[in-house]
Amino acid sequence: MYYNSPYRVIPSELYNDYTMNSKIPVFDWYIDGSKRNGVVWNNNIINDYITRLTPENIANNREGISGYNHETCVNLLKAFNVYNLNNKNIAVVGSETPWIEAILINLNNKVTTIEYNVPECNFNKLECKDYFKFFENNSDTFDAIVTYSSIEHSGLGRYGDPLDPFGDIKTMKVIHSNLKKDGILVWGAPVGKDAISWNAHRIYGELRLPLIFENFQELEWINTSKEQCLNLPLSNNSYNPVVVLKKIN
């Protein structure tokens, strides 16, 4: 296994696996996000997000700065409301700031953040747990899971995680395992023409997206369609939709 991440280029012996035998083009976009030890989410930070990211503020474009743009907040809130994600036990996989957590807490959910670099947190409505120590060894716990702008990084080493060409697929399998029967996954990542921007992220297209959604049923693409996303031009980045999936098998 490779632990000396981040790597500036794909190791030659892993190139075919990362690119699906050169079918996926590679762009240069290097980021070292590995030095994130000591992340602290104190109560003031969390309460600020909770105060701003209410359903009412999001509906009226008054939520201020979040992890993404206003459209994403609207789309996530719509998914949570349409699929009754309130008063549930929900995990958020991959989270630099607790903006998604705040929306979910405002819907009366019990929330657990899953991270490689676990934030220090002592908030009574939010737990933070380690991906490797807890999540990989856990199963059948959560009514729903939210992962937005996270899966596309798995296995690229950007955050100091081990290099793994199949890291994103493996993470989806771990998410599947952690969901209860018929559990809901609210998912977001760049979708367009298949590509890798090394080591920033992947873009999911007709080749790799079916592997990511294996063992899930697609329920809804919120305020867009799969076809619209897959028809976007080849680029080093792409649109992040909000997709609602259900665990099957």
Side-chain angles (χ1 to χ4, degrees), residues 46-116:
I46 297 170
N47 279 319
D48 174 64
Y49 279 100
I50 289 172
T51 299
R52 292 188 294 103
L53 286 154
T54 64
E56 295 77 16
N57 282 348
I58 292 171
N60 292 287
N61 197 6
R62 294 199 305 256
E63 75 276 4
I65 296 172
S66 64
Y68 258 75
N69 54 33
H70 173 64
E71 178 190 2
T72 299
C73 292
V74 169
N75 290 344
L76 285 170
L77 182 60
K78 180 179 179 181
F80 300 160
N81 285 332
V82 170
Y83 292 91
N84 300 314
L85 299 191
N86 54 73
N87 300 298
K88 299 289 197 307
N89 184 18
I90 299 179
V92 178
V93 176
S95 191
E96 293 192 16
T97 60
W99 64 286
I100 294 176
E101 289 85 344
I103 300 173
L104 292 168
I105 288 170
N106 280 325
L107 296 173
N108 298 313
N109 293 292
K110 177 186 175 184
V111 183
T112 303
T113 295
I114 307 297
E115 256 291 353
Y116 297 141

Side-chain angles (χ1 to χ4, degrees), residues 159-226:
Y159 293 105
D161 50 308
L163 293 191
D164 187 343
F166 312 105
D168 53 342
I169 296 169
K170 291 177 181 177
T171 298
M172 288 295 288
K173 289 180 178 178
V174 174
I175 286 173
H176 184 276
S177 176
N178 272 268
L179 281 167
K180 294 179 181 178
K181 186 176 185 295
D182 296 326
I184 294 293
L185 171 62
V186 179
W187 180 94
V191 177
K193 298 292 186 294
D194 285 283
I196 297 177
S197 292
W198 185 270
N199 65 349
H201 54 241
R202 300 175 179 86
I203 296 96
Y204 293 101
E206 293 181 352
L207 293 176
R208 200 165 186 90
L209 192 63
L211 303 178
I212 292 296
F213 286 174
E214 188 176 8
N215 295 320
F216 289 94
Q217 176 188 352
E218 296 173 43
L219 298 180
E220 185 174 358
W221 290 61
I222 303 292
N223 292 331
T224 188
S225 70
K226 181 195 285 191

Side-chain angles (χ1 to χ4, degrees), residues 27-57:
F27 293 92
D28 181 31
W29 187 347
Y30 177 79
I31 300 174
D32 184 349
S34 63
K35 299 175 181 64
R36 294 186 61 243
N37 293 328
V39 176
V40 177
W41 291 353
N42 63 43
N43 287 2
N44 288 336
I45 291 172
I46 297 170
N47 279 319
D48 174 64
Y49 279 100
I50 289 172
T51 299
R52 292 188 294 103
L53 286 154
T54 64
E56 295 77 16
N57 282 348

